[in-house]
Amino acid sequence: MSNSIRASDIPVVERLKSTWRAQDGETVEQIISNVSKVAQFVPQMWGVVELGENDYVFVSWTRHRDNKSDEQYAITWKVALDGTTELASTYAKPMELGWRALALSLIAREVADGERTQIFAFCMIRLTSTL
């Protein structure tokens, strides 16, 4: 069984970025862009881990640009041999629902952890996008 990290394996990452969609049709990059505007979400890097017959594509992120706390989180997709993908992380359900659901789940976690939240920014973007 192989167990390796291939951060330079760009084709599988690019394929995921171009084919995976949330239920509302948003791409991974649209979700990441929108969430980073309203929640403490700073994307770090894309990578690929091979475990057995499957690849796991991930994007790592942190809450703070300066990342002084060395905290790291990841959103992960399982890519099967036949090319099918599925979210394989704790953020799966919110991510599948789109950027607003993911942003709200992250903001809720920030509040629970005592972080300064950007809920006002989320509300303003949400209000202006519905007008």
Side-chain angles (χ1 to χ4, degrees):
M1 180 187 303
S2 177
N3 187 8
S4 60
I5 298 177
R6 300 185 326 257
S8 62
D9 195 349
I10 302 301
V12 70
V13 172
E14 293 306 315
R15 189 170 40 248
L16 176 92
K17 288 179 181 182
S18 68
T19 61
W20 187 88
R21 298 287 186 272
Q23 289 178 4
D24 62 2
E26 294 170 325
T27 67
V28 174
E29 291 178 312
Q30 289 170 322
I31 291 171
I32 289 171
S33 174
N34 287 330
V35 170
S36 66
K37 293 175 187 172
V38 298
Q40 293 178 341
F41 183 88
V42 181
Q44 299 285 290
M45 69 172 217
W46 285 90
V48 179
V49 176
E50 183 183 306
L51 294 173
E53 295 181 351
N54 299 304
D55 286 336
Y56 290 83
V57 175
F58 67 90
V59 59
S60 66
W61 62 278
T62 186
R63 287 183 178 173
H64 307 284
R65 289 204 185 282
D66 60 12
N67 198 21
K68 291 180 181 176
S69 66
D70 292 328
E71 66 182 350
Q72 285 288 320
Y73 304 95
I75 299 172
T76 308
W77 292 262
K78 177 182 172 184
V79 181
L81 282 175
D82 65 2
T84 58
T85 59
E86 67 179 85
L87 273 160
S89 69
T90 56
Y91 305 103
K93 189 47 81 177
M95 184 91 173
E96 287 173 349
L97 296 174
W99 80 267
R100 289 175 184 89
L102 180 59
L104 281 175
S105 72
L106 296 176
I107 290 168
R109 175 70 53 101
E110 292 167 16
V111 170
D113 292 348
E115 290 278 336
R116 244 183 34 219
T117 184
Q118 295 182 1
I119 191 70
F120 180 74
F122 175 81
C123 292
M124 291 306 294
I125 288 174
R126 177 67 180 124
L127 286 173
T128 58
S129 68
T130 57
L131 295 177

